[in-house]
Amino acid sequence: MRCSLVVLATLAAGAGEVSAREPEFGADLVLFSSLYDVRGDSPYNPDNLLAGIPRMEHGAQARLRWRLEGKYGVLAIGPRVTYSRATGTNAASGDKRDTKAYLQSWLVEGRLGNVDLFYSRELMLWGPSQFASPSNPFFTETNQVNPFTELPSRDFAGARWRIDDRNTVALVRNVDEGRDRELLRPFKPETALRADHVGDAFAVGAVASYRAGRKQYGAYGQWTVNDAVLVYFDAATFRGSRRLLALAPGVASNGTQDWQLATRADDRKRHFDVLVGASYTFEGGSTVNLEYRRNTEGYTAAERAALDAFAVAQAGRFRRSDPFSDPFTAGAAAGQLGAVVQPYARTFGRDTVYAQYVNRRIAPSTSLVAQLSYGLGSKDGSTTIVISHDLNDRIKLAANLTVPFGSRHGDTRRYLDSVLFLGMTASF
């Protein structure tokens, strides 16, 4: 890897010698305040002692970017510096100040004719959906509507062959989890081969990926029916699942069996994750998207009920245990609750509907984005409203309100009853 980086950096360094443009610099200063309505009775976060979600948080983030592009390559970097001050609801989320500096993105790319070699940290997203991309093995969830947050990025190395203006083939390897940390399972690299074709009124792509013995095959595409209507799909299929299941107490060969949280080792069933959608653009420019997603890996009603019962049992143990006199019981219950919150199934339920409405001119210099998601089986969902107003060419005010609704035993209301972001972005 070190040798390949030297080669890439050498090629990209030539960008400055033949660059047709000056280096690009830019920065955004984001000031924000967030208000969290934390559930106090959640079995997944008893009395907010595990997640420690603050009641209020205020902060500032500098989002910097620098890019140098030339004939033989690209060098780019996107550092972030964040300062925040949180006001808590209990001892686990007490008042605290935090300063963080990290790299959200970078790119070292060398160009050899129509072949690009790159090493990057980025959000490698594709597909036309506003909410999810089942064919993407790296980032299944793609919603970026909240202007105050960024999806965590990952590290990639790969090669891209630009066959012509319409066809591209890329071989990519996810070499490190970057900022997208999996707390409970060790990272394992994943490799994907992706091909894209762009037509006059349509675009299609296909992806094959491999990770630790598991293969996934996917495809996506869109068709522009006319000036107003766009239809699209994004789908994947894979065999086996690493999702966690809650196994109820019973009698084992060696005695009484307690609650267990485990994967099903014999699960070699082929699963399908399919999203279909359409968008309509009105004469004034506003758009509506409707999407439906079916994921056979999602939990059945019985499996969801078992997960909820498991969380209730572990929450009871956590509340009854004394972390000083019985730290083992408290720690074990906390660990089990942490695991069940991230059960590794792509979706909690099997059938989900999404809707989005975007109006960039709801008022002078003001835009509106409204989103709705709802699990048909789990009977829970969330609504998000984002309103932004341009004070001038550089300063934008924004508010983001998300309100989960439906079953309190579902996926969306495990921690919060609502969250509100308020703030501004100044661009330089």
Side-chain angles (χ1 to χ4, degrees):
M1 176 64 71
R2 224 178 251 183
C3 180
S4 62
L5 285 178
V6 171
V7 173
L8 287 174
T10 302
L11 289 170
E17 300 176 8
V18 296
S19 178
R21 66 185 72 172
E22 295 295 323
E24 299 176 9
F25 298 92
D28 294 327
L29 176 62
V30 181
L31 306 178
F32 64 90
S33 292
S34 52
L35 307 175
Y36 299 92
D37 185 7
V38 183
R39 278 191 61 185
D41 61 344
S42 170
Y44 298 91
N45 181 30
D47 305 318
N48 196 28
L49 292 173
L50 295 181
I53 302 173
R55 185 178 69 254
M56 300 177 62
E57 186 175 16
H58 313 284
Q61 182 181 65
R63 300 176 180 177
L64 311 176
R65 54 190 178 275
W66 177 88
R67 181 182 178 92
L68 175 64
E69 183 173 354
K71 180 179 179 181
Y72 296 113
V74 180
L75 293 172
I77 191 170
R80 303 287 188 265
V81 180
T82 302
Y83 169 80
S84 62
R85 180 176 181 179
T87 301
T89 58
N90 54 34
S93 60
D95 297 356
K96 60 181 180 181
R97 300 180 182 184
D98 188 26
T99 302
K100 295 184 294 185
Y102 58 90
L103 291 176
Q104 171 69 5
S105 63
W106 71 63
L107 173 62
V108 180
E109 181 177 281
R111 295 173 177 172
L112 302 170
N114 59 348
V115 175
D116 306 329
L117 304 176
F118 62 87
Y119 177 59
S120 65
R121 170 172 289 183
E122 61 178 297
L123 295 173
M124 190 170 287
L125 307 179
W126 60 71
S129 169
Q130 303 297 313
F131 295 88
S133 179
S135 66
N136 192 329
F138 311 122
F139 298 98
T140 304
E141 304 301 321
T142 60
N143 192 350
Q144 301 184 80
V145 69
N146 190 339
F148 302 103
T149 61
E150 294 181 303
L151 294 176
S153 49
R154 292 189 169 202
D155 298 354
F156 299 92
R160 185 187 307 109
W161 179 25
R162 292 173 279 109
I163 301 172
D164 52 39
D165 292 340
R166 293 180 178 269
N167 299 282
T168 305
V169 176
L171 180 64
V172 180
R173 185 169 177 82
N174 181 199
V175 296
D176 191 84
E177 58 193 340
R179 297 192 57 248
D180 192 16
R181 303 287 179 180
E182 289 190 5
L183 300 178
L184 303 172
R185 295 189 180 183
F187 169 79
K188 295 181 180 180
E190 187 160 10
T191 303
L193 178 64
R194 175 185 168 199
D196 287 278
H197 173 76
V198 178
D200 292 332
F202 70 95
V204 293
V207 186
S209 63
Y210 178 84
R211 179 185 186 272
R214 173 178 168 175
K215 301 175 183 178
Q216 175 179 303
Y217 304 97
Y220 52 93
Q222 64 183 55
W223 175 39
T224 304
V225 180
N226 52 45
D227 292 341
V229 178
L230 176 74
V231 294
Y232 50 88
F233 78 96
D234 199 318
T237 180
F238 50 90
R239 189 179 296 279
S241 174
R242 60 185 189 135
R243 64 180 184 154
L244 295 174
L245 298 170
L247 307 180
V251 178
S253 58
N254 59 348
T256 303
Q257 173 183 295
D258 197 0
W259 273 104
Q260 290 186 352
L261 195 63
T263 57
R264 181 167 291 165
D266 60 349
D267 182 6
R268 300 304 300 162
K269 177 182 177 182
R270 178 161 293 282
H271 295 286
F272 296 89
D273 189 357
V274 180
L275 182 148
V276 293
S279 70
Y280 183 84
T281 302
F282 295 91
E283 187 173 345
S286 58
T287 60
V288 172
N289 287 72
L290 296 176
E291 300 180 4
Y292 166 73
R293 183 179 180 184
R294 168 71 174 177
N295 174 30
T296 62
E297 188 196 24
Y299 293 99
T300 64
E303 291 169 341
R304 293 194 300 269
L307 283 171
D308 190 62
F310 175 88
V312 171
Q314 298 299 331
R317 292 178 179 179
F318 180 81
R319 288 190 173 101
R320 290 192 300 270
S321 61
D322 188 331
F324 297 101
S325 61
D326 191 7
F328 177 79
T329 300
Q336 293 292 293
L337 288 172
V340 79
V341 168
Q342 193 178 31
Y344 294 97
R346 287 166 165 244
T347 55
F348 187 60
R350 295 194 170 188
D351 298 277
T352 310
V353 292
Y354 306 97
Q356 175 177 279
Y357 173 72
V358 179
N359 189 331
R360 301 298 182 189
R361 299 179 180 178
I362 195 169
S365 302
T366 305
S367 65
L368 167 71
V369 179
Q371 290 187 336
L372 169 71
S373 65
Y374 183 69
L376 299 179
S378 57
K379 293 181 172 52
D380 68 328
S382 66
T383 57
T384 297
I385 303 293
V386 182
I387 298 176
S388 58
H389 177 75
D390 296 327
L391 285 180
N392 51 46
D393 293 340
R394 294 184 178 273
I395 299 178
K396 175 180 289 188
L397 306 179
N400 185 115
L401 173 65
T402 297
V403 180
F405 64 89
S407 172
R408 296 177 71 87
H409 303 284
D411 182 46
T412 60
R413 298 182 67 186
R414 287 180 174 176
Y415 285 159
L416 300 168
D417 283 326
S418 68
V419 57
L420 173 65
F421 290 86
L422 300 169
M424 61 161 283
T425 301
S427 300
F428 305 94

